[in-house]
Amino acid sequence: MADDIDDLADRVTTGDRRALARAITLVESGRDDHRTRAAALIEALRTRDGPQALRIGLSGTPGVGKSTFIESFGMMLIARGLRVAVLAVDPSSARSGGSILGDKTRMERLSRDPNAFIRPSPAQSHLGGVARRTREAVALCEAAGFDVVLIETVGVGQSETVVAEMSDLFVLLLAPAGGDELQGVKRGIMEIADIILVNKADGDLKAAAERTRADYAGALRLLRKRPQDPEGFPKAVCISSIEERGLTEAWDDMCHLTEWRRETGHFDARRAEQARYWFGEEVRQALLAQLDKEPVRGIMEDYGARVASGEVTPAIAAHEVLRLIRGG
């Protein structure tokens, strides 16, 4: 097994796209033997020195133009000599039937470019599992020599927070709307955003986009100052993905913010915090996985039936199950 893992690691680091796809398939698998091999692969790649990719988390409401933005932004980065990977976290895909696959077909130019790599997430309803494997896929893309990894979240709510825990920058994409659209964006998402991009700032929507930008810029000034931000950040700017306007300026802002964080130590400190967070998540997910295995699964089903019949309360049943699991 070790020779096979070392060979796969070698091929990933040389930029072999088939090897990268195979490696991501391995880390996405939920089989215990595959999880063991995936952990060995990630460890083998971790010990090899290589350049760090810039990890950019991206979120936005449906219809905001994420696919168009990713394609235009990705092609702009490739024109600058950079290699771009696009990954996705989609906790709703098991119910929606694979919305990200539709995104991939809409990003036709980017998907055909040899300097781009687009990977939809597995169709699972459990956000923690999808996110954990996406994080490992990010590490694989970084090892494969991609300069920028875009991590798109299709879900709403918790998925934004999870993606922020695997990103160096978090970008929120919005469409032009009236000022009261502020009410529709959760404060928590605003607080984790580093840059807000108001898309579709073209044609008849240009004026509305500028008003929306001004509204969000004002809202950002009211938020508590974060130590990881230089003067002027977080910020809101207008872009047009269709006309490819404002993308270069947005990239310059991202580079400026990243360089400042590197120089001040915030970049490395944040990655260290994220590693600690994912350690905790690995432990939690492993403990939760035990609930689906025997003998715990049988105990859960037995007590579940007793709770349903009214024989015992949920609290007492939970206490008894935990006592049996601990062997007390």
Side-chain angles (χ1 to χ4, degrees):
M1 185 187 81
D3 290 342
D4 179 48
I5 291 298
D6 287 339
D7 176 63
L8 185 57
D10 288 338
R11 290 168 57 199
V12 167
T13 53
T14 58
D16 185 325
R17 295 171 68 88
R18 288 188 178 181
L20 176 58
R22 181 185 162 201
I24 293 178
T25 298
L26 179 64
V27 302
E28 286 176 350
S29 174
R31 282 175 42 178
D32 288 342
D33 58 329
H34 287 177
R35 292 304 306 153
T36 300
R37 295 179 65 225
L41 175 61
I42 296 296
E43 180 62 21
L45 291 169
R46 186 187 67 84
T47 58
R48 305 183 184 200
D49 291 331
Q52 288 182 321
L54 180 61
R55 306 168 181 176
I56 302 174
L58 176 68
S59 183
T61 53
V64 75
K66 286 197 298 291
S67 297
T68 307
F69 168 75
I70 290 173
E71 178 162 70
S72 297
F73 188 66
M75 294 304 295
M76 181 270 294
L77 295 178
I78 289 171
R80 291 186 166 213
L82 300 174
R83 299 180 69 218
V84 181
V86 181
L87 302 173
V89 175
D90 182 14
S92 64
S93 58
R95 297 187 300 273
S96 66
S99 58
I100 298 172
L101 294 173
D103 283 350
K104 186 172 181 179
T105 61
R106 287 197 294 270
M107 293 185 278
E108 190 176 348
R109 282 189 303 153
L110 192 62
S111 62
R112 288 203 312 259
D113 197 289
N115 290 307
F117 180 84
I118 302 175
R119 178 79 177 201
S121 69
Q124 297 183 13
S125 59
H126 194 276
L127 177 58
V130 175
R132 183 171 80 250
R133 290 159 195 169
T134 300
R135 180 178 180 273
E136 292 172 342
V138 170
L140 291 172
C141 290
E142 190 169 62
F146 285 93
D147 303 294
V148 179
V149 181
L150 290 169
I151 310 157
E152 177 191 7
T153 168
V154 179
V156 291
Q158 185 190 356
S159 59
E160 277 85 2
T161 304
V162 172
V163 168
E165 289 294 342
M166 63 178 84
S167 307
D168 301 316
L169 301 175
F170 188 81
V171 176
L172 181 61
L173 199 64
L174 297 174
D180 47 344
E181 214 245 5
L182 278 166
Q183 304 299 322
V185 177
K186 293 182 179 178
R187 179 184 174 91
I189 299 175
M190 290 281 289
E191 289 178 338
I192 62 176
D194 295 304
I195 297 176
I196 292 177
L197 301 179
V198 182
N199 195 21
K200 303 184 180 181
D202 46 57
D204 295 339
L205 291 175
K206 192 170 184 179
E210 181 52 41
R211 287 195 299 271
T212 301
R213 185 209 64 79
D215 289 338
Y216 279 95
L220 289 172
R221 285 193 291 271
L222 296 176
L223 296 177
R224 180 172 58 87
K225 176 71 175 175
R226 306 182 307 183
Q228 70 268 30
D229 293 328
E231 192 63 34
F233 285 88
K235 69 191 316 182
V237 297
C238 286
I239 64 166
S240 169
S241 299
I242 292 178
E243 296 182 356
E244 300 184 359
R245 269 191 305 101
L247 301 181
T248 299
E249 292 78 6
W251 173 242
D252 290 342
D253 285 335
M254 295 177 198
C255 291
H256 171 69
L257 179 57
T258 302
E259 285 306 310
W260 185 87
R261 287 179 175 174
R262 287 185 189 276
E263 292 169 1
T264 55
H266 289 292
F267 187 93
D268 290 336
R270 179 60 180 148
R271 284 209 171 182
E273 288 175 9
Q274 290 175 342
R276 189 183 188 108
Y277 171 87
W278 287 106
F279 157 69
E281 282 300 300
E282 286 287 345
V283 173
R284 291 184 190 92
Q285 295 300 327
L287 290 174
L288 286 172
Q290 296 302 312
L291 299 180
D292 291 325
K293 297 178 181 178
E294 297 296 350
V296 179
R297 185 175 181 176
I299 294 173
M300 289 283 290
E301 289 178 353
D302 177 52
Y303 273 89
R306 292 170 65 184
V307 168
S309 68
E311 180 183 340
V312 63
T313 65
I316 295 297
H319 176 78
E320 285 297 310
V321 169
L322 290 173
R323 183 181 62 81
L324 289 170
I325 292 174
R326 289 195 296 262

